[in-house]
């Protein structure tokens, strides 16, 4: 007699896939599992038996796997992003029918999800891109889930996701329908970017306490344990305290001191920074964490650089400062908290900007809610972020929420002290420093950007606006470049021309300079290096 159809299927049985499958089964949903490497299938089924005889059914071929799931079928993929996802879709969709649904639970680029959703729709299939956060532990016992794409597909699996997700007593399951298209993957990407920033800030707090305060690993463990009882209560603070207590099982001392100072990455942090640049959203805390990972990767170069500067009298720590240890610990705590506000503010602003561009109508308060449990950045802090957006869904920036603004004001003296002591000791705190710079820039009504714009107009005729005229009236260039000779001449941006021909070459495509006439010195018409008979107008191609 054939076994009854299962409720759902899962393809891709690496650690995350196995754990999510067991989580689903444990919540009472019979699940079919499949993997190209069949030993993984057998391993998962065996684990299911050992962990409570859970209803997990393994299949070694894709056709029997797909056919084992009840209609309309729902199948989750947890495979490596990129080409493997496309190949898995191709394999599975060959046996699926109209109305069936595929869910990608990996860290995928959001535009790939949108492309696949359209392709699946042409086959009559539904598609979701679902961010899954929490690591292997979260996948097994309750992750934060961020599904985006077909709402119909979401409704087909909503009952499962609500039970499988992390449960937070005061705010419910850590899952919600994010929005259309690739919104789920985009939100997960930014979540990871915030995670990058959070981890970097914690590492800087550690460096200052260890290098300036001379705290031992035992003292650091106690400090972080204490911090995890208050406003900094979070998963990352918790595991940091644990790490400081782990002894080296291969030698003396603590393991943390034996870990190579070279941080890896998988790409979501880089994607976050690239998107921030594309959308003109300032995310310097997140960007600095990425740069710090890049620099950490230059281990061999840094070792050689240290030798060069040490030979010149510049040691690892510039000066041993006498500090009040308890005061330093408290200052670092305040600096860490204030910097975290900036990091989350930047991430939320990036999500909002993308939501506006794509018409996703994302609810920032709801995103903070589903991050309160299960995920890597889960923290008590997120409840306050949710309340800030509940108070004002159109909040321009977390920094100007009345409660967060007061906390920043109260903490900024300690924040500045920490950065000063770090600078004087020669300790880099890029995340904390740039977070403070972000705050100081954002809080000022007037910046030196007026000079930068004047410079742009001076060399490139980009125009500027005046403070004493309506903002809608952009002024044409009136900042004249210095006279380069006694015989300047008037040219336009179409002045790229052959010396031996009267025909014009295609002009540059900048809309900023198309309407202007330029005063250019004849010597700025330089021969093209590979075509001596071609004159290149360099002054007007110096546009940014």
């Amino acid at each position: 007699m054939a076994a009854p159809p299962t409720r759902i299927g899962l393809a891709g049985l690496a650690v995350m896939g196995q754990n999510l499958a067991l989580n689903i089964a444990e919540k009472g949903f019979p699940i079919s599992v499949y993997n190209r490497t069949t030993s993984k299938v057998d391993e998962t089924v065996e684990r299911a038996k050992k962990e409570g005889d859970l209803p997990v059914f393994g299949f070694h071929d894709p056709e029997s796997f797909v056919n084992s799931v009840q209609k309309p079928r729902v199948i989750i993929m947890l495979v490596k992003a990129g080409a493997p996802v496309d190949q898995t879709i191709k394999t599975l969709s060959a046996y699926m029918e109209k109305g069936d649904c595929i869910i990608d639970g990996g860290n995928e680029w959001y535009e790939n999800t949108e492309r696949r959703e359209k392709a699946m729709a042409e086959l009559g299939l539904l598609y979701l891109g679902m961010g899954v956060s929490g690591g292997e532990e979260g996948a097994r016992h309750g992750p934060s889930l961020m599904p985006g794409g077909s709402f119909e597909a979401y409704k087909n699996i909503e009952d499962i996701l609500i039970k499988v997700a992390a449960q937070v007593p005061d705010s419910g399951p850590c899952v919600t329908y994010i929005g259309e298209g690739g919104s789920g993957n985009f939100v997960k990407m930014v979540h990871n970017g915030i995670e990058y920033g959070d981890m970097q800030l914690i590492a800087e707090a550690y460096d200052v306490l260890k290098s300036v305060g001379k705290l031992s690993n035992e003292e650091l463990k106690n400090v972080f344990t204490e911090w995890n009882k208050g406003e900094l209560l979070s998963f990352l603070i918790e595991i940091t305290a644990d790490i400081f207590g782990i002894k080296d099982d291969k030698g003396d001392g603590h393991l943390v001191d034996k870990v190579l100072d070279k941080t890896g990455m998988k790409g979501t942090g880089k994607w976050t920074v690239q998107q921030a640049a594309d959308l003109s959203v300032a995310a310097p805390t997140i960007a600095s964490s990425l740069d710090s990972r890049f620099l950490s990767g230059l281990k061999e170069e840094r070792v050689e650089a240290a030798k060069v500067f040490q030979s010149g009298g510049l040691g690892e720590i510039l000066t041993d400062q006498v500090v009040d240890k308890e005061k330093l610990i408290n200052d670092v705590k305040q600096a860490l908290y204030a910097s975290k506000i900036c990091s989350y503010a930047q991430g939320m602003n990036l999500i909002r900007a993308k939501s506006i561009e794509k018409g996703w109508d994302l609810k920032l308060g709801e995103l903070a809610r589903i991050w309160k449990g299960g995920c890597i950045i889960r923290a008590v802090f997120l409840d306050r972020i949710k309340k800030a957006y509940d108070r004002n869904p159109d909040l321009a920036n977390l920094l100007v929420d009345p409660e967060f603004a007061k906390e920043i004001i109260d903490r900024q003296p300690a924040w500045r002290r920490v950065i000063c002591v770090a600078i004087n000791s020669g300790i880099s705190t890029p995340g904390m420093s740039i977070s403070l710079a972000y705050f100081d820039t954002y809080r000022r009504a007037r910046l030196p950007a007026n000079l930068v714009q004047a410079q742009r107009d001076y060399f490139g005729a980009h125009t500027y606006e005046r403070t004493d005229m309506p903002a809608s009236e952009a002024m044409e260039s009136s900042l004249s470049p210095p006279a380069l000779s006694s015989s300047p001449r008037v040219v336009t941006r179409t002045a790229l021309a052959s010396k031996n021909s009267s025909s014009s070459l295609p002009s540059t495509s900048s809309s900023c300079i198309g309407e202007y006439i330029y005063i250019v010195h004849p010597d700025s018409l330089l021969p093209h290096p590979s075509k001596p008979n071609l004159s290149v107008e360099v002054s007007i191609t110096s546009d940014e």
Side-chain angles (χ1 to χ4, degrees), residues 248-319:
D248 183 10
D249 61 357
K250 294 182 172 60
D252 296 331
H254 289 77
L255 180 60
V256 67
D257 298 323
K258 310 292 178 62
V259 176
L260 183 67
D261 54 323
K262 188 173 180 179
T263 308
M265 68 191 94
K266 291 187 176 179
T268 48
K270 184 187 296 185
W271 289 347
T272 302
V273 173
Q274 289 171 335
Q275 278 293 291
D278 288 345
L279 292 166
S280 299
V281 174
T285 309
I286 299 171
S288 72
S289 70
L290 185 65
D291 288 339
S292 294
R293 294 195 183 198
F294 292 155
L295 285 166
S296 79
L298 303 177
K299 176 64 176 178
E300 294 77 14
E301 286 186 39
R302 290 187 289 111
V303 168
E304 294 305 313
K307 294 176 183 177
V308 171
F309 292 110
Q310 284 171 2
S311 67
L314 207 60
E316 288 271 334
I317 305 300
L318 297 186
T319 178

Side-chain angles (χ1 to χ4, degrees), residues 233-480:
L233 171 65
S234 64
F235 173 72
L236 286 171
I237 294 291
E238 177 187 345
I239 67 169
T240 301
D242 290 344
I243 288 168
F244 289 130
I246 299 174
K247 297 293 182 66
D248 183 10
D249 61 357
K250 294 182 172 60
D252 296 331
H254 289 77
L255 180 60
V256 67
D257 298 323
K258 310 292 178 62
V259 176
L260 183 67
D261 54 323
K262 188 173 180 179
T263 308
M265 68 191 94
K266 291 187 176 179
T268 48
K270 184 187 296 185
W271 289 347
T272 302
V273 173
Q274 289 171 335
Q275 278 293 291
D278 288 345
L279 292 166
S280 299
V281 174
T285 309
I286 299 171
S288 72
S289 70
L290 185 65
D291 288 339
S292 294
R293 294 195 183 198
F294 292 155
L295 285 166
S296 79
L298 303 177
K299 176 64 176 178
E300 294 77 14
E301 286 186 39
R302 290 187 289 111
V303 168
E304 294 305 313
K307 294 176 183 177
V308 171
F309 292 110
Q310 284 171 2
S311 67
L314 207 60
E316 288 271 334
I317 305 300
L318 297 186
T319 178
D320 282 329
Q321 302 180 57
V322 177
V323 296
D324 181 325
K325 188 177 288 189
E326 289 305 314
K327 188 176 189 310
L328 179 65
I329 290 170
N330 185 61
D331 280 356
V332 172
K333 177 184 177 182
Q334 309 307 318
L336 177 57
Y337 186 82
S339 298
K340 279 166 65 74
I341 294 174
C342 293
S343 183
Y344 280 76
Q346 294 160 26
M348 289 300 192
N349 285 353
L350 177 54
I351 291 172
R352 176 196 282 119
K354 196 65 177 183
S355 177
I356 292 171
E357 180 192 71
K358 302 288 287 186
W360 286 336
D361 191 28
L362 303 184
K363 307 294 190 244
L364 300 185
E366 181 68 354
L367 299 183
R369 182 192 70 78
I370 68 169
W371 289 345
K372 286 173 61 179
C375 68
I376 302 300
I377 64 171
R378 62 182 182 267
V380 68
F381 176 78
L382 283 157
D383 190 53
R384 313 231 359 263
I385 293 178
K386 178 186 183 301
K387 290 177 180 177
Y389 286 113
D390 286 347
R391 284 191 294 270
N392 180 7
D394 298 321
L395 185 65
N397 192 302
L398 279 176
L399 297 181
V400 295
D401 171 75
E403 288 192 12
F404 281 120
K406 182 179 184 307
E407 292 190 336
I408 285 276
I409 291 169
D410 291 344
R411 287 164 175 75
Q412 55 93 22
W415 199 1
R416 298 179 194 282
R417 286 195 295 270
V418 169
I419 291 169
C420 285
V421 76
I423 290 172
N424 289 333
S425 297
I427 297 169
S428 60
T429 54
M432 287 187 181
S433 299
I434 201 65
S435 295
L436 179 59
Y438 175 80
F439 165 67
D440 280 336
T441 301
Y442 190 71
R443 69 177 178 80
R444 295 181 64 194
R446 184 166 174 81
L447 298 171
N450 56 313
L451 177 59
V452 176
Q453 187 60 22
Q455 291 170 331
R456 295 181 72 244
D457 181 66
Y458 190 96
F459 68 70
H462 293 287
T463 79
Y464 55 89
E465 294 174 291
R466 298 178 59 100
T467 59
D468 56 355
M469 295 183 68
S472 60
E473 297 182 17
M475 298 297 296
E476 289 194 10
S477 174
S478 62
L479 296 171
S480 301

